[in-house]
């Protein structure tokens, strides 16, 4: 519902940009007419109209169907699914689609490159695993089907979204690709002196940079690395690629090594780049990186160098402070006679002291360093997004049954003086999962230009329709207004197929299309002859296929 503004209030917004006006008309009163509230963010919006998405749809009910269920008036096209050919070279679309990012070709809303992450493999890519050990062919498939796909997508004259398999840009980036390391861990002993490493895998969510490249996050990498005989410390980083340039492949060690979910990039008041990140595991921390140098738009992709040098911080929600994770700070803590090895850090005190010899070690053993310095463990911090309207930071804390937080919540951080580069903050629980809200286990986030938060859920497939999760049925996609009379009220927009989760919501710039991944349908299958799902129900197909869909039918205001 639009907020009515008097003339004085309206004039106070003039000069703060279209985004501020859009925020005002959407009822986001936290801006208070301050231009400082509008430092740019590299979220999914490529521009700010005023209230592009009308937001009107009839919410659906929870569903157990083996289908992607949408509200009346909306449709979806399967753009790419597991094992589809994506280019003339015969490369195949990977498994377990996750994050999506759409990059327009020549500004088009109907033709562009879609970057898609592939988080893991399962029985449908590997086949049955005997005695818990992969064969060499299964190892190769494991490395091949994870990573990333860059595909070219377009909307034809009938309004149907398709993949252009003749694209010169389409390619796979996976466990066999070669990456350049940047930052303090490059060449250190803990990484076996490496300046380049093989492969990326366990790619969960990601982000778009201010210079129009894609970030991808390595999450649960350990099993794949171990099975392939690869060095563990070469994984667990933030990856950067240029969708239009296949030679640009980087891993940024200054952003820390842990179970990364995604990145959310914005600017501090003084022009430094800020990147927020979550460590997706129980009792793990929220981080942000602040670059040493300042963002210069005219430098384009060369701004990527800013991610090689800066300060990594870990949040302490009790004190409302960001703690700088420097080698000097870690050394000082370890040299204190009263120091005791904290929970979450393995080994005796002397072993811990030996582990940290440089800033490279601090970022490599990031979680341990965070615990040593007083970072606060939280409940599986997954996707983080910066509101494009008021610079508040939304964090999905998915769940933590060890602490009784079985349904999770969304945290909202308010940086001091509205400066993303600041070292103090306040926070609130924006909304909690559970029966009262109609959803459980929030995961990925996206904003639309009305200030609505689009949230997908990540209830474990083994818990679907059981116990305290029974009322939520299959995982879904929900819309939650961040302002107005319906603030914090979740409305279900989509329900996923059996044993799937919906991931990576991402709008085209005009917000007429929403890209969404359907991840691991039928993942509880243990007999290939009896799959628990057959989505997307292709004629004659005998297995489910994860993939990415394009949803259309949005009414624009």
């Amino acid at each position: 519902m639009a907020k009515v503004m008097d003339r004085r209030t309206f004039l106070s917004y003039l000069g703060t940009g279209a985004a501020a006006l859009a925020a005002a008309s959407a009822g986001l009163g936290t801006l208070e007419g301050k231009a400082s509230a509008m430092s740019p963010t590299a979220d999914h919006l490529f521009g700010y109209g005023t209230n592009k998405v009308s937001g009107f749809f009839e919410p659906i009910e929870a569903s157990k169907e083996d289908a992607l269920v949408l509200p009346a008036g909306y449709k979806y096209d399967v753009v790419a699914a597991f094992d589809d050919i994506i280019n003339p070279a015969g490369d195949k679309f990977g498994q377990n689609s996750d994050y999506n990012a759409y990059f327009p070709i020549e500004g088009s809303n109907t033709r562009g490159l879609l970057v898609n992450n592939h988080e893991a493999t399962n029985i449908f890519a590997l086949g049955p695993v005997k005695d818990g050990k992969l064969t060499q062919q299964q190892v190769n498939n494991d490395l091949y089907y994870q990573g990333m796909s860059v595909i070219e997508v377009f909307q034809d004259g009938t309004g149907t979204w398709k993949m252009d398999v003749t694209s010169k840009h389409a390619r796979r980036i996976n466990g066999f690709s070669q990456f350049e390391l940047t930052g303090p861990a490059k060449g250190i002993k803990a990484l076996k002196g490496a300046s380049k490493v093989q492969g990326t895998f366990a790619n969960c969510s990601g982000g778009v940079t201010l210079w129009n490249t894609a970030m991808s996050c390595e999450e649960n990498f350990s099993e794949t690395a171990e099975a392939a005989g690869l060095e563990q410390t070469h994984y667990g980083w933030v990856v950067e690629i240029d969708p239009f340039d296949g030679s640009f492949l980087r891993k940024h060690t200054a952003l820390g090594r842990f179970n990364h979910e995604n990145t959310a990039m914005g600017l501090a008041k003084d022009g430094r780049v800020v990147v927020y990140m979550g460590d997706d595991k129980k009792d793990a921390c929220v981080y942000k990186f602040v670059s040493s140098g300042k963002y210069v738009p005219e430098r384009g992709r060369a701004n990527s160098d800013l991610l090689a040098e800066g300060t990594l911080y870990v949040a302490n929600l009790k004190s409302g402070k960001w703690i700088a994770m420097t080698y000097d700070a870690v050394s000082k803590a370890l040299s204190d006679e009263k120091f005791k090895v904290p929970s979450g850090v393995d080994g005796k005190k002397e072993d811990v002291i030996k582990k940290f010899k440089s800033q490279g070690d601090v970022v490599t053993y990031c979680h341990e360093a965070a615990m040593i310095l007083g970072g606060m463990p939280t409940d599986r911090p997954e996707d983080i997004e910066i509101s494009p309207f008021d610079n508040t930071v939304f964090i999905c804390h998915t769940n933590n049954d060890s602490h009784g937080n079985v349904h999770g919540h969304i945290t909202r951080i308010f940086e001091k003086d509205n400066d993303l580069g600041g070292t103090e903050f306040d926070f609130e629980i924006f909304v909690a999962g559970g029966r009262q809200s109609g959803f459980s286990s929030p995961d990925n986030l996206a904003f639309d230009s009305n200030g609505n938060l689009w949230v997908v859920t990540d209830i474990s497939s083994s818990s679907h329709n059981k116990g305290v999760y029974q009322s939520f049925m299959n995982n879904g996609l929900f819309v939650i207004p961040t302002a107005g009379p319906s603030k914090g009220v979740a409305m279900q927009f989509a329900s996923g197929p059996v044993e799937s989760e919906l991931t990576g919501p991402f709008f085209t710039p005009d917000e007429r299309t929403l890209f969404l991944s359907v991840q691991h349908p039928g993942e509880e299958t243990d007999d290939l002859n009896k799959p628990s799902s057959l989505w997307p129900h292709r004629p004659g197909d005998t297995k489910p296929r994860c993939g990415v869909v394009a949803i259309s039918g949005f009414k624009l205001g």
Side-chain angles (χ1 to χ4, degrees):
M1 181 177 293
K3 176 182 176 182
V4 179
M5 292 182 287
D6 60 27
R7 183 173 182 273
R8 182 176 180 181
T9 304
F10 176 80
L11 289 175
S12 73
Y13 279 90
L14 293 180
T16 61
L21 288 170
S25 63
L28 292 170
T30 53
L31 284 176
E32 298 177 350
K34 297 178 182 178
S36 63
M38 292 316 305
S39 83
T41 58
D43 67 328
H44 72 289
L45 298 174
F46 285 77
Y48 302 96
T50 54
N51 301 328
K52 293 180 190 174
V53 174
S54 69
F56 295 110
F57 65 92
E58 187 67 29
I60 67 170
E61 299 292 332
S63 171
K64 298 180 183 178
E65 288 185 62
D66 187 30
L68 177 57
V69 182
L70 301 175
Y74 293 83
K75 74 177 185 74
Y76 71 88
D77 303 310
V78 179
V79 177
F82 165 58
D83 240 10
D84 284 351
I85 300 296
I86 67 171
N87 60 17
D91 287 322
K92 296 180 178 180
F93 197 70
Q95 199 180 38
N96 281 340
S97 298
D98 203 301
Y99 177 70
N100 295 294
Y102 175 83
F103 293 82
I105 293 177
E106 297 179 352
S108 175
N109 288 295
T110 57
R111 181 176 284 272
L113 299 185
L114 188 70
V115 174
N116 182 269
N117 281 354
H118 302 294
E119 185 174 5
T121 56
N122 60 31
I123 190 172
F124 301 110
L126 302 179
V129 177
K130 296 181 179 180
D131 301 321
K133 185 175 178 60
L134 300 182
T135 66
Q136 186 58 52
Q137 184 58 55
Q138 287 174 320
V139 169
N140 291 341
N141 286 350
D142 200 29
L143 294 174
Y144 179 81
Y145 282 116
Q146 295 187 59
M148 308 169 72
S149 289
V150 178
I151 61 175
E152 187 167 335
V153 297
F154 68 99
Q155 192 175 32
D156 68 14
T158 69
T160 301
W161 280 91
K162 298 178 178 179
M163 177 170 52
D164 185 350
V165 297
T166 69
S167 173
K168 65 180 180 181
H169 298 293
R171 63 190 185 277
R172 287 296 317 283
I173 302 161
N174 56 28
F176 298 104
S177 305
Q178 295 296 313
F179 284 82
E180 174 191 354
L181 294 176
T182 76
K186 179 179 180 178
I188 68 169
K189 183 178 180 180
L191 270 70
K192 308 298 184 184
S195 59
K196 294 183 178 180
V197 297
Q198 175 190 323
T200 187
F201 39 80
N203 301 77
C204 193
S205 190
V208 176
T209 68
L210 291 162
W211 45 92
N212 214 37
T213 59
M215 305 274 262
S216 179
C217 292
E218 298 174 341
E219 192 187 48
N220 298 313
F221 55 87
S222 295
E223 287 188 12
T224 296
E226 182 179 3
L230 297 170
E231 177 59 45
Q232 291 278 344
T233 56
H234 291 178
Y235 309 96
W237 304 105
V238 173
V239 170
E240 183 184 7
I241 72 159
D242 186 337
F244 295 94
D245 181 357
S247 67
F248 187 84
L249 299 170
R250 293 182 172 184
K251 292 192 181 188
H252 294 296
T253 68
L255 276 60
R257 174 177 167 266
F258 44 87
N259 298 91
H260 283 274
E261 174 71 19
N262 85 313
T263 64
M265 182 178 286
L267 285 180
K269 280 186 177 181
D270 62 6
R272 292 176 296 159
V273 170
V274 182
V275 184
Y276 291 87
M277 300 165 287
D279 185 356
D280 181 11
K281 59 178 179 284
K282 296 178 182 180
D283 301 326
C285 297
V286 176
Y287 300 87
K288 77 174 179 182
F289 168 85
V290 182
S291 66
S292 296
K294 297 180 179 180
Y295 172 63
V296 180
E298 294 76 19
R299 295 190 69 225
R301 195 179 73 182
N303 282 290
S304 174
D305 293 343
L306 295 171
L307 301 180
E309 186 175 349
T311 303
L312 185 65
Y313 295 88
V314 62
N316 184 303
L317 275 70
K318 185 176 181 179
S319 65
K321 295 184 184 298
W322 291 101
I323 302 169
M325 296 183 59
T326 65
Y327 174 61
D328 286 346
V330 172
S331 296
K332 182 178 179 181
L334 293 176
S335 63
D336 189 330
E337 292 182 359
K338 297 180 180 180
F339 173 78
K340 294 183 179 180
V341 177
S343 176
V345 178
D346 295 329
K348 298 179 181 179
K349 180 177 180 178
E350 51 267 32
D351 299 323
V352 176
I353 291 173
K354 290 178 182 178
K355 181 176 282 189
F356 293 98
K357 298 298 182 184
S358 69
Q359 183 63 24
D361 294 322
V362 172
V363 296
T364 301
Y365 305 110
C366 193
H367 177 75
E368 292 94 327
M371 294 298 96
I372 290 168
L373 293 174
M376 177 172 282
T378 65
D379 295 340
R380 283 188 63 199
E382 293 208 47
D383 213 323
I384 302 177
E385 294 294 337
I386 305 167
S387 168
F389 302 108
D390 63 1
N391 267 2
T392 57
V393 181
F394 290 75
I395 305 169
C396 280
H397 282 101
T398 298
N399 53 40
N400 189 343
D401 55 4
S402 298
H403 297 165
N405 185 6
V406 296
H407 296 306
H409 59 272
I410 299 176
T411 304
R412 187 183 193 181
I413 283 181
F414 301 82
E415 294 281 23
K416 185 177 180 179
D417 299 325
N418 204 47
D419 184 3
L420 299 184
T423 57
E424 296 182 30
F425 63 89
D426 198 354
F427 77 96
E428 67 182 19
I429 303 302
F430 174 68
V431 64
R435 287 173 58 94
Q436 78 289 344
S437 56
F439 71 90
S440 175
S441 307
D443 188 342
N444 296 153
L445 301 172
F447 278 97
D448 66 31
S449 57
N450 268 343
N452 295 315
L453 197 60
W454 293 67
V455 183
V456 295
T457 60
D458 183 13
I459 302 170
S460 173
S461 293
S462 61
S463 297
H464 284 189
N465 304 299
K466 298 176 183 177
V468 297
Y469 299 101
Q470 189 169 0
S471 65
F472 308 105
M473 301 188 188
N474 294 351
N475 277 312
L477 169 62
F478 296 80
V479 180
I480 306 177
T482 59
S486 296
K487 176 182 176 181
V489 177
M491 299 168 285
Q492 188 161 0
F493 181 85
S495 176
V498 169
E499 295 167 6
S500 75
E501 61 174 304
L502 304 177
T503 57
F506 199 101
F507 283 100
T508 53
D510 64 1
E511 294 182 332
R512 290 182 180 271
T513 299
L514 174 66
F515 292 102
L516 187 69
S517 290
V518 178
Q519 190 181 93
H520 58 65
E523 75 165 339
E524 294 294 301
T525 297
D526 55 17
D527 183 348
L528 287 172
N529 295 314
K530 298 177 181 179
S532 53
S533 170
L534 282 174
W535 190 90
H537 301 283
R538 290 177 170 176
D541 206 348
T542 59
K543 67 173 68 173
R545 297 185 186 274
C546 53
V548 59
V549 302
I551 299 173
S552 54
F554 293 96
K555 308 297 189 295
L556 305 185

